[in-house]
Amino acid sequence: MEVIIPPPKTAIASPQSVLVPSVRDRHIAGIQTKGRMAWQKSTGCNKRSRAETQMDRWKAVIGPKLKARHFDNQKTEAKVGVRVLNG
């Protein structure tokens, strides 16, 4: 699995990108040819972004950690949290 870090909008390719392109250079070239939204969809970057947003929402609403001590109670607490966020 390859780690995908979206380059900033002002990113430019490195000088050696013509001979030996790095992963970052390939991503920049993909954004320039396809457009940023198509690049995100082809690399799966949009899924990562949605997952990060969901975790931020969870932490804002539910909190950074579970309060219950026992595993069965933690499972119940997580289920309630999911229903709250999906409701």
Side-chain angles (χ1 to χ4, degrees):
M1 185 167 136
E2 183 180 289
V3 175
I4 300 169
I5 300 171
K9 292 179 182 180
T10 58
I12 57 172
S14 63
Q16 65 268 21
S17 67
V18 176
L19 299 175
V20 185
S22 65
V23 174
R24 179 180 179 273
D25 292 331
R26 288 194 304 265
H27 287 308
I28 292 171
I31 290 171
Q32 289 173 348
T33 57
K34 300 177 194 174
R36 186 168 288 272
M37 297 308 289
W39 171 81
Q40 285 180 357
K41 192 169 187 177
S42 68
T43 59
C45 188
N46 56 346
K47 292 178 184 177
R48 177 191 60 86
S49 178
R50 275 188 268 157
E52 286 179 2
T53 302
Q54 189 68 7
M55 287 306 298
D56 287 341
R57 189 177 309 143
W58 174 277
K59 289 181 180 179
V61 174
I62 307 301
K65 62 182 180 178
L66 298 173
K67 311 286 189 281
R69 291 185 179 191
H70 299 288
F71 185 64
D72 289 335
N73 296 343
Q74 288 176 349
K75 289 193 295 186
T76 303
E77 186 179 348
K79 287 179 185 178
V80 170
V82 168
R83 287 192 180 177
V84 166
L85 289 176
N86 289 337

